[in-house]
Amino acid sequence: MTGGEVVTPIAISSSTALSFAKFAARTGGCITVEPTGAVSAAGAVVSLAGSATTAATFAVTGDTNSTYSIGYADNNLTHTDTVTTMALALNSTVGTAGTSGGTTVATGTLSSGSQNIYVGGTLTVGSLQTPGVYYGTVTVTVEYN
């Protein structure tokens, strides 16, 4: 006898957006949001007190105990003037929102048929960066191994 089994399709959904909140550029540097949501700044950049940063959270579902690969797209954030940008480099962790030391996790395991991916990132902020709102998209893709 011959047989086979079609597994539950792997799916990903976003539940929390990555937010760097409010910060002052001054003479530039970097601002980092860890996968935990914790924020740190380097150079002359200052994260403003009272503004809440968040890591992005993605829920992955699929066949229990299956492994999967994770792909990311680093995108610049663009000012509402549609011209000015800031470079964004992502870092992530899976399972729990622990810190990842600035790396991106490439695989995960759906131990109970689901797992979360937590994504933080680092923005490179220019000297006297144009004030205003910057926006972009964090793209995370998954597929079975």
Side-chain angles (χ1 to χ4, degrees):
M1 178 184 243
T2 304
E5 179 182 355
V6 176
V7 299
T8 303
I10 193 165
I12 186 169
S13 61
S14 173
S15 56
T16 307
L18 176 60
S19 174
F20 291 88
K22 293 183 177 185
F23 57 92
R26 302 188 323 180
T27 58
C30 294
I31 185 163
T32 299
V33 174
E34 293 292 340
T36 60
V39 65
S40 62
V45 175
V46 175
S47 178
L48 299 181
S51 66
T53 58
T54 57
T57 305
F58 295 87
V60 181
T61 57
D63 189 52
T64 298
N65 296 322
S66 292
T67 61
Y68 62 97
S69 60
I70 307 167
Y72 305 88
D74 288 352
N75 294 305
N76 291 336
L77 296 189
T78 303
H79 189 278
T80 53
D81 68 8
T82 70
V83 176
T84 310
T85 62
M86 284 187 285
L88 170 61
L90 301 176
N91 62 64
S92 66
T93 188
V94 295
T96 60
T99 60
S100 64
T103 61
T104 54
V105 178
T107 61
T109 302
L110 298 169
S111 299
S112 350
S114 65
Q115 186 173 57
N116 285 333
I117 302 171
Y118 300 92
V119 180
T122 300
L123 280 178
T124 301
V125 182
S127 178
L128 303 173
Q129 186 81 40
T130 301
V133 176
Y134 289 75
Y135 61 92
T137 302
V138 172
T139 303
V140 180
T141 57
V142 293
E143 63 181 58
Y144 287 122
N145 287 336

